[in-house]
Amino acid sequence: MGKLLREAVETRRNELISKLIELDQYKKDGKHLFELTLSDLEYEYFKIQSKNHPHSGIDSIRWRNF
């Protein structure tokens, strides 16, 4: 089970690194992307997606549960 989890983490890390490179992000705080943890990569990708997404601003539609 440990090997399977390790492979899944590495696969996800590689996917995020590729996506961040496509968005012209090569470093964070002086560290190369391959030096970051999966959590750091997820956070950076989420942050960039939120900033660039047209529905993430102040005037965006927010769903509320009634």
Side-chain angles (χ1 to χ4, degrees):
M1 186 68 173
K3 183 179 178 183
L4 184 61
L5 179 60
R6 194 174 320 116
E7 289 175 1
V9 168
E10 280 301 311
T11 300
R12 180 65 180 154
R13 282 185 77 243
N14 290 333
E15 289 172 359
L16 288 170
I17 289 170
S18 295
K19 289 179 180 183
L20 287 167
I21 289 172
E22 288 176 9
L23 296 169
D24 295 326
Q25 298 295 315
Y26 304 100
K27 289 186 175 184
K28 179 195 176 213
D29 299 331
K31 289 185 176 181
H32 292 282
L33 296 178
F34 66 86
E35 297 176 295
L36 300 176
T37 64
L38 177 59
S39 299
D40 291 337
L41 292 168
E42 292 274 3
Y43 177 74
E44 283 302 308
Y45 185 69
F46 173 77
K47 190 168 69 172
I48 291 169
Q49 286 296 97
S50 295
K51 185 172 75 173
N52 294 333
H53 195 275
H55 300 293
S56 63
I58 295 171
D59 295 335
S60 64
I61 298 171
R62 303 286 183 200
W63 293 97
R64 295 192 321 191
N65 293 331
F66 292 100

